[in-house]
Amino acid sequence: MRKLFAVLLLVLLFAGCKKADRTPINPIDQLPAATHTGANTLGCLIDGKPFAAYGKPSFLNEQGVSFQPAINTAWYIAGKVAYQHLIMNINYDSSISLPAIFEMSDNYPAGAELLNPTGGSSLITGNSDFKTDSVHKGTLTLQYYDGKIAAG
């Protein structure tokens, strides 16, 4: 009886095990898909790591995506997840033809910063660990804009 129990135990152990999939996930595949529906999603790579925000912020929940188009020809795009806050400013001119590529460098004409990139539990006061400048650059590609919805 002991041998039968030991054999059954071994069979159950091996039957329950499966080899882990160690295929690396491409960081860009972890970003939300671009839509033209106003789905309130924002995704980008920051220092090669994915950042994604979903939903619309409210009085009770400040996490989500904010987009303010063409205020004095400058866009303000923000995404907040937990304690991380991504802010982008883009000088947008309606005469730009799409698709358009914006170089994210200094704050003008386009720039970005990630506040509290480690996602710690305390809010920071104006310190940025990731901020675009003349040395640390990135790009934003705008493929669609209808006056309210931007995608790229």
Side-chain angles (χ1 to χ4, degrees), residues 6 30 42 113 117:
Q30 297 176 40
L42 174 118
E113 65 182 308

Side-chain angles (χ1 to χ4, degrees), residues 12-66:
L12 286 174
L13 283 174
F14 286 115
C17 296
K18 69 178 186 176
K19 191 174 182 179
D21 183 10
R22 299 200 187 269
T23 306
I25 298 172
N26 186 346
I28 207 154
D29 294 337
Q30 297 176 40
L31 301 178
T35 70
H36 297 179
T37 62
N40 291 314
T41 60
L42 174 118
C44 61
L45 296 179
I46 300 173
D47 203 26
K49 296 183 177 121
F51 176 91
Y54 301 89
K56 195 167 194 146
S58 67
F59 177 72
L60 298 174
N61 179 19
E62 58 184 24
Q63 295 185 57
V65 179
S66 300

Side-chain angles (χ1 to χ4, degrees), residues 96-120:
I96 294 173
S97 61
L98 299 179
I101 298 175
F102 297 90
E103 182 180 292
M104 305 296 282
S105 57
D106 294 325
N107 282 333
Y108 184 85
E113 65 182 308
L114 178 65
L115 304 174
N116 202 17
T118 58

